[in-house]
Amino acid sequence: MLKNCVILVQVNPGEAFTIRREDGQFQCITGPAQVPMMSPNGSVPTIYVPPGYAPQVIEDNGVRRVVVVPQAPEFHPGGHTVIHRPPHPPLPGFLPLPAMIPPPPRHIYSPVTGAGDMATQYIPQYHTSQVYGDVDTLPAHGRSNFRDERSSKTYERLQKKLKDRHGTQKDKLNSPPSSPQKCPSPTSEPNGLTKGQDAAGISTGSTKCKSWGKGKSNSQTDTEVEGKSQNFVFLQVSDIQARTALLMWSPPSSDIGEDTDKNDIPEVYIYEVMISSTGKDGKYRTVYIGEENKVTVNDLRPATDYHAKVQVEYNCVKGSPSEAESFTTASCEPDVPNLPRITNRTKNSLTLQWKASCDNGSKIHSYLLEWDEGKRNGEFCQCYYGQQKQYRITKLSPAMGYTFRLAAKNDMGMSDFSEEVLYHTSGTAPTTPASPLLINAGVTWLSLQWTKPSGTPSDEGISYILEMEDENSGYGFKPKYDGDDLTYTVKNLRRSTKYKFRVIAYNSEGKSSPSETVEYITSPDKPGVPSKPTVKGKIHAQSFKITWGKNVCSRLHFGSLLFIANLSGNKWDTIYSGATREHVCDRLNPGSSYRLRVYCFGEGGQSTVSDSLLVQTPAVVPGPCQPPRLQGRPRAREIQLRWGPPQVDGGSPITCYGVEMFQAETNEHREVYQGSDVECTVGSLLPGRMYIFRLRAANKAGFGPYSEKCEITTAPGPPDQCNPPQVACRSAACAQVSWEVPVSNGADVTEYRLEWGGVEGCMQMSYCGPGLSCEVKGLLPATIYYCRVQAVNVAGAGPFSEVVACMTPASVPAVVASLRGLSEDEVESPHYSPSTCLAISWDEPCDHGSEILGYSIDFGDKQPITVGKDLTYFIGGLQPDTTYRVRIQALNSIGAGPFSHTVKLKTKPLPPDPPRLECAAYSSQTLKLKWGEGTAKALTDSIQYHLQMEDKNGRFVSLYRGPCHTYKVQRLSESTSYKFCIQACNEAGEGPLSQEYIFTTPKSVPAALKVPRIERINDHTCEITWEVLQPMKGDPVIYCLQVMVGKDSEFKQIYKGPDWSFRYTGLQLNCEYRFRVCAIRQCQEAMGHQDLVGPYSTPVLFISQRTEPPASTNKDTVQTTRTQWSQSDQVCAAVILALFAIFSILIAVIIQYFVIK
């Protein structure tokens, strides 16, 4: 027995455990938590619990847990076992934060120290504030301070032993062991609680873990969760392939809670499968997480050792991983090798070399190299097969490409071929390359580029020599570059100097001729800084002349750029660019300050900007102002004006404004205002008069020019009443109305309003405008109209004039409406023919004051027809199947009215002639008839066809009516003649019947016979019998029997005659015989004898074999023959039934498509 033992007191969620320390203060631990209590002699102290609860001691791996669980009603506290208390006080537990204090009341337990046994005091009511009075004085993380050094060492030693036993516990040595956590919680908070939560909130809060174990206490549930997650599972590996393996395991067995209810919810385990390819203690990776008990692991490496583990998770609690199970994947064919590379190249040979690929557990013993022999057709043949990793191909053609591919082979098989690669043999020396091109040029360098010579293989190694000639040196072309690149930058050159270049290509066969010589020039350098610009001559208000000296660098430059900037802004503007060194700066603002600077530019770039020069222009008089504008609305006696400053102030502030007024009638002018304000009021004006105003501004230089004139009119009055208007009718539909100008009362008339109507009290405005006359159109002939006029100016509208009446004259009739053609049903005339006549009708139009005398009908090129007052008419003598455009006009005493709208009418065509009838196909019971030309085009034709056939009584009956050009007559008798006739129909009617056509059906061949029956007589003789057919319409029927022996490919005739059986002799043992039979109809005709051969029956197989007992053998043979015959009948019946069903469906489709549609 252990001398020192740690006892864990389990505190459930929602409960609190309180102990009394040596200093007399209370320490409270809220659940869920485990309170460690040390017992030197291993005994469990007496735990006093409230009524209805009982302590229960559970020992797990040497650790004792005291769990307080609910008790049945008959439980009595006095029945508890009294255990001696240890000599040392219990270890203090975790101290929770104030936010974790559960609401009162709480069941608080406090151990009492003394000389005797440890007793637990039950405090039924204990306020939270008294328990947590000195919480802040304890450690932040809930660590316990031990009373003496001996207790601390003993506790650390026990914690180390517990940690070694469990193997997966990660609690710190100075922290009490925690209860199993059902859900993850922040590690920075004590007991897994976060701020703002209490014990009740944790036990019933929203978590992702499901509740389980109904009917149990919380402490028992925690124990079962920990036990189930810690139990081991056994992993098995099976079906191991090269790249896959099947892992299987069984659910963990639980030895805790054996008395649990069997009706609980099924236990759900989550399994996490991990594998490692770096050894048992190597790094594992997760390959599966789920509830299944097996998984197939894919994407494994062949011939590799793997270790697998499985870890169980139950109710969000993970257990320890299982023992590692090792397995080795199987070997397979090698991986695809890399491309073979070329190591040597000549005109007639290529040397290839390659590296070994991954053998996947089986040593590679040979390589297969294939090539296309230079044909480029995608077909490969073997070039080399062996163990070497290089091969030389000889007897090749110069400058020719060959395609290769490589595969590796081991004992497990052949790998896939590598990608195809193209190599060329060496040829002749390269051709002359193109001249080098200039990519970019600098002051001291030139970047050149060239291309490969034409016709050079892409994989042939070619080098290049770039040569340069400097005319100033006199040494000719000298090499500057020798290498494989196609670009090179020549450096250390002189600025603005011309150089010549050429390029030479070479390979192992020799050098090419030099390319054509090209010349390139380096860029010039930038010029120096110019001198500061100076003013030349007098500075004017808007211009001055600037000059500047040469730049410091004596090198030639193209020109200079002059910049100017106003002091009021920071933007520099370019005002000059050229080769001269002076410039006149014009279009400047007077009284403004300007800064000027200059720089030089050339081919090499631009120089640094010179120092700036400051110039001040003198001020001038202001520029013209904008015309004054009216402020508000004008009045009868005064006008209020307002204006703004001029756009150009002359370089000095504006000090005064002057306003001058003109009267339009007298042309007199006078100044009405002078001052610094920007508005004034002009009075003593006449109403309805026009006045002209203009404005000028002044500064220290004087007054500027006047602005443009502004015309303003005083408020006017409405005009007087107009005189009665004058009306003149120009035609029956148009009238001219004119009037005079009334007194305007100080304002011109802006518009006139004319009202016009057919009723004196109800007139509408027909004109509004400044004119003195108006033309009214769209009038009705012989109608009385009324009108009046009104004048309007800016002041308002004057009164209307007196009403004037007028009457329009009579006119030609109106347009005829509702012209239409009549159908055949609407025409009752017996002489009407739709092919040569058209019937039309119309409605009577308005006569416009003169009675209608008749109508004129126009229907084409012929002269119009004049008819009377009738509203219908028949047009005869027309062409069949012709379209006519018909229109009509009415006539009265004044003249002819306008034509109506045009109506397109078409006469019907004449009935068509019958087509020629032909027989396209025939059989013993069917005749396929054809007529006309059409196929798909005929189906869209408007012509219908009526096919008739003569019946037994000599009358023709209808067979088909429709647009098709073919028809199949069925259910006919063989060797019989039939009479047919046909007629064509269209919208004009039915055409005449054709002549009678006679077609005769041929005789039918006999039907196919059933499978013949075979009866064995002896080992070398058999008898064949077949179906008997009756004579066909008096013609006798004979039979033809054929046989095919063994492996022959053709049948041979062995019998022909009227008998229905035949005995075949000369059978060979263990040989196959196939028999078939057909019926032949012998027709007796006037032309002579004719045989009609029917189809052959299904062949029947017969095998001749020797039998031991003759009786038994004969019986078995007969039985076999009968069985074969019976099966053959069934097959034949099924085939006939299937053919009949297919034929019925086909007939239904044909009827649906050609007849119904």
Side-chain angles (χ1 to χ4, degrees), residues 629-702:
R629 61 183 182 274
L630 181 65
Q631 181 78 10
R633 303 181 67 177
R635 298 180 183 179
R637 296 288 179 178
E638 63 181 21
I639 294 176
Q640 187 174 3
L641 301 177
R642 186 177 179 85
W643 58 86
Q647 295 181 355
V648 179
D649 58 359
S652 178
I654 303 298
T655 58
C656 183
Y657 295 96
V659 179
E660 191 176 39
M661 181 184 71
F662 291 82
Q663 191 171 359
E665 292 81 357
T666 61
N667 201 17
E668 297 180 356
H669 61 88
R670 61 187 177 91
E671 191 173 30
V672 295
Y673 173 77
Q674 185 174 351
S676 59
D677 295 336
V678 293
E679 62 180 0
C680 72
T681 301
V682 182
S684 302
L685 303 177
L686 298 176
R689 298 292 186 274
M690 179 182 290
Y691 295 92
I692 300 174
F693 300 91
R694 62 181 183 177
L695 175 70
R696 63 177 180 174
N699 60 4
K700 65 180 181 179

Side-chain angles (χ1 to χ4, degrees), residues 821-1002:
L822 300 177
S823 62
E824 297 182 31
D825 299 336
E826 296 176 341
V827 179
E828 299 179 357
S829 175
H831 303 290
Y832 175 78
S833 175
S835 300
T836 59
C837 298
L838 290 175
I840 60 174
S841 67
W842 60 89
D843 295 338
E844 183 179 1
C846 181
D847 57 3
H848 285 170
S850 180
E851 183 182 2
I852 295 176
L853 303 178
Y855 297 92
S856 177
I857 302 174
D858 182 14
F859 59 93
D861 299 336
K862 297 182 179 181
Q863 292 293 332
I865 302 175
T866 303
V867 299
K869 297 182 180 180
D870 295 335
L871 300 179
T872 59
Y873 186 76
F874 300 146
I875 304 174
L878 304 179
Q879 297 295 328
D881 195 17
T882 305
T883 301
Y884 292 91
R885 297 177 180 266
V886 183
R887 60 179 183 174
I888 190 171
Q889 63 180 166
L891 308 175
N892 62 4
S893 59
I894 299 176
F899 276 102
S900 66
H901 65 280
T902 302
V903 177
K904 290 184 179 180
L905 300 177
K906 183 178 181 180
T907 57
K908 293 185 178 181
L910 295 175
D913 295 333
R916 176 181 176 81
L917 190 62
E918 299 176 353
C919 182
Y922 58 87
S923 66
S924 60
Q925 295 181 347
T926 61
L927 290 174
K928 185 176 181 180
L929 305 180
K930 178 183 178 183
W931 59 89
E933 303 177 349
T935 53
K937 180 179 179 182
L939 295 177
T940 61
D941 197 355
S942 61
I943 299 179
Q944 303 284 326
Y945 299 97
H946 186 198
L947 179 65
Q948 301 178 8
M949 183 182 72
E950 186 181 30
D951 59 2
K952 297 180 180 179
N953 299 326
R955 297 176 300 176
F956 281 91
V957 296
S958 177
L959 288 181
Y960 169 74
R961 182 185 294 273
C964 297
H965 289 255
T966 59
Y967 183 76
K968 188 175 184 180
V969 186
Q970 301 179 355
R971 300 180 181 178
L972 303 179
S973 300
E974 64 173 335
S975 187
T976 305
S977 298
Y978 295 91
K979 293 182 179 181
F980 299 91
C981 63
I982 191 171
Q983 69 177 157
C985 311
N986 62 3
E987 58 182 6
E990 296 182 353
L993 286 172
S994 66
Q995 62 179 358
E996 295 181 359
Y997 296 89
I998 301 175
F999 301 106
T1000 305
T1001 56

Side-chain angles (χ1 to χ4, degrees), residues 990-1066:
E990 296 182 353
L993 286 172
S994 66
Q995 62 179 358
E996 295 181 359
Y997 296 89
I998 301 175
F999 301 106
T1000 305
T1001 56
K1003 291 186 178 182
S1004 61
V1005 299
L1009 299 178
K1010 295 182 180 180
V1011 179
R1013 297 184 298 273
I1014 301 175
E1015 184 176 0
R1016 181 171 183 172
I1017 304 302
N1018 52 39
D1019 292 344
H1020 302 284
T1021 306
C1022 66
E1023 185 177 4
I1024 302 100
T1025 59
W1026 51 84
E1027 180 185 2
V1028 179
L1029 296 181
Q1030 298 297 329
M1032 302 178 66
K1033 290 189 177 183
D1035 295 334
V1037 177
I1038 63 175
Y1039 306 95
C1040 178
L1041 179 64
Q1042 294 182 349
V1043 64
M1044 184 171 64
V1045 181
K1047 297 182 179 180
D1048 294 345
S1049 60
E1050 295 181 357
F1051 282 90
K1052 298 180 180 179
Q1053 178 176 331
I1054 58 175
Y1055 171 76
K1056 183 177 183 182
D1059 295 336
W1060 53 272
S1061 64
F1062 178 76
R1063 178 167 294 185
Y1064 183 71
T1065 60

Side-chain angles (χ1 to χ4, degrees), residues 1096-1116:
Y1096 280 94
S1097 65
T1098 304
V1100 61
L1101 176 65
F1102 177 76
I1103 302 175
S1104 61
Q1105 295 179 354
R1106 182 182 300 275
T1107 55
E1108 296 298 333
S1112 177
T1113 302
N1114 188 16
K1115 183 177 180 180
D1116 293 343

Side-chain angles (χ1 to χ4, degrees), residues 1120-1135:
T1120 302
T1121 305
R1122 291 179 180 177
T1123 302
Q1124 293 177 354
W1125 175 79
S1126 178
Q1127 291 179 357
S1128 301
D1129 289 346
Q1130 294 177 1
V1131 171
C1132 184
V1135 171

Side-chain angles (χ1 to χ4, degrees), residues 115 117 145 413 1099:
D117 295 337
N145 296 325

